[in-house]
Amino acid sequence: MVSPDAVDRARPVRDVVAWSRGLVEPALREAVDALPAPLRLVAGYHRGWWDERGHRTDAAGGKAIRPALALLAAEAVGGTAGAAVPAAAAVELVHDFTLLHDDVLDGDRTRRHRAAAWHVFGLDAAVLTGDALLAAAFDVLAASGHPAALTGVRVLNAAVRDLVEGEHADLAFERQPDVGVAECVAMVERKTGGLLAGACALGASFGGAEAVVVAGLRDFGLRLGVAYQHVDDLLGIWGEPGRTGKPVHADLRARKKSLPVVAALTSDTPAGRELAALYRKHPIPSDARRAADPAEPDRLDPAADAARAADLVERAGGRAWSERQAESLLAASLRHLGSVDPVPRAAAELTALAHAIVRRDH
């Protein structure tokens, strides 16, 4: 339980995120500047620093959630945010690696309210830039000189393995006729939960925490990551394009087996069975590059089918289930945070950030 005094001294979430971005941005720019020029152009475009010609822009560059978690985790265990900057920067570089690759794999044409990097620069450039950012992440950790650098490399490597395994499962689900809720949750724990867990564990390690405390903060990040994905999946169906930066019903058009969709498909309700029939209606492209081809039509078409699918997910209980799960996982994550006896102000700010992440009010 966070004390009222700590809450009073805690900064608003928007200030915490801005503080995090300010601390980590120089390290990110240094890492990107070290890339070969063609890849540097793609990376900077992806981050919103410049347009496709390299001209400076004010485009959104992401919310800096993962770096904020790493920095606050360091403070929560009695360390300093400054010492954890390499950890925070490395996590954000890995996150950008995943986004560049995800957009290619899913064929998403927009990211952060503008054209995705692959759509501007081509598939090869986007994939190779993602690879370069992944390498840069490990270089940032290794070059930090921090006593926890070697441990950090292993923690981050485990997170990357988890998210790659989770991404593979997510893609395989598109062709798998039956996916259970437990399977889907396990996929999300690796794909999304793994990196948030890694961010918190890295921050705690760079803050000087003992292994048991690092494990507690890792569990905090893991539950928070799964809660985050529930909300992200809900927004992927019902989110407003102006808020999400993606077309309405984007996940349903791609026939993603997201958490609320799988809950609906396995509900054994009339709506769930109708949804299953609708999901079987159109063939899946057999090649990931065809899926990312601008000429490739939506996989669930016409738009009326996607709207019908959204209604069926809700009627089958998928929407309500994901909403309940998100709140339950948020509560569980905060229990793990409290179990490590965190520094009060950092705990208050982590608590507020967790609520904002799940409820998307930041």
Side-chain angles (χ1 to χ4, degrees):
M1 190 76 173
V2 179
S3 70
D5 181 59
V7 172
D8 289 342
R9 290 184 289 110
R11 296 164 292 180
V13 169
R14 63 179 179 276
D15 292 349
V16 168
V17 172
W19 160 78
S20 167
R21 188 179 289 112
L23 281 179
V24 175
E25 189 84 352
L28 293 174
R29 287 186 178 271
E30 182 178 353
V32 169
D33 283 346
L35 300 180
L39 303 185
R40 183 168 64 248
L41 177 63
V42 180
Y45 170 87
H46 169 74
R47 288 209 56 80
W49 295 340
W50 47 70
D51 63 18
E52 65 273 17
R53 294 176 297 278
H55 299 151
R56 185 174 177 175
T57 68
D58 294 323
K63 299 182 180 67
I65 288 171
R66 291 155 190 82
L69 288 172
L71 297 176
L72 288 176
E75 292 191 336
V77 302
T80 66
V85 166
V91 168
E92 187 71 350
L93 288 165
V94 168
H95 180 51
D96 282 333
F97 145 74
T98 67
L99 296 181
L100 284 163
H101 282 206
D102 277 355
D103 287 344
V104 170
L105 291 169
D106 295 339
D108 288 339
R109 301 175 196 176
T110 59
R111 168 69 61 184
R112 296 166 180 162
H113 305 283
R114 61 179 185 161
W118 72 264
H119 195 46
V120 175
F121 298 98
L123 293 166
D124 295 341
V127 170
L128 291 172
T129 301
D131 294 342
L133 291 176
L134 178 61
F138 287 101
D139 188 57
V140 166
L141 286 181
S144 69
H146 194 285
L150 179 57
T151 298
V153 167
R154 299 190 68 181
V155 168
L156 190 62
N157 188 54
V160 171
R161 286 202 311 269
D162 281 346
L163 68 88
V164 169
E165 183 182 2
E167 179 67 43
H168 183 273
D170 190 22
L171 293 170
F173 287 172
E174 294 184 15
R175 293 172 173 79
Q176 188 174 322
D178 298 309
V179 176
V181 170
E183 282 182 281
C184 194
V185 170
M187 176 273 291
V188 168
E189 286 179 343
R190 295 189 296 271
K191 180 182 175 182
T192 306
L195 191 54
L196 268 70
C200 294
L202 276 170
S205 294
F206 274 64
E210 297 181 354
V212 65
V213 175
V214 172
L217 280 165
R218 182 190 183 280
D219 287 340
F220 160 71
L222 178 62
R223 271 64 179 186
L224 182 59
V226 181
Y228 173 93
Q229 190 62 58
H230 273 284
V231 177
D232 208 56
D233 287 349
L234 290 168
L235 290 173
I237 299 174
W238 292 283
E240 298 177 3
R243 183 181 179 189
T244 65
K246 294 187 177 183
V248 66
H249 298 149
D251 284 359
L252 294 177
R253 288 174 178 273
R255 205 162 56 180
K256 301 290 287 185
K257 290 192 174 74
S258 61
L259 287 161
V261 168
V262 170
L265 289 170
T266 58
S267 65
D268 195 26
T269 62
R273 290 189 286 274
E274 185 178 342
L275 178 67
L278 190 59
Y279 256 48
R280 291 193 296 267
K281 184 175 178 181
H282 298 289
I284 291 286
S286 61
D287 185 287
R289 286 181 174 250
R290 282 184 61 215
D293 189 331
E296 181 66 37
D298 288 326
R299 294 182 224 173
L300 190 57
D301 191 66
D305 282 351
R308 178 62 177 164
D311 179 62
L312 292 170
V313 172
E314 183 158 13
R315 286 170 50 198
R319 183 174 191 168
W321 176 79
S322 266
E323 289 170 346
R324 291 194 303 270
Q325 287 296 304
E327 290 298 321
S328 176
L329 286 159
L330 172 61
S333 74
L334 295 178
R335 288 194 294 271
H336 283 289
L337 174 61
S339 73
V340 302
D341 192 24
V343 172
R345 175 176 152 169
E349 292 178 349
L350 277 170
T351 298
L353 182 60
H355 278 92
I357 287 171
V358 173
R359 293 168 182 167
R360 302 296 172 95
D361 55 4
H362 59 297

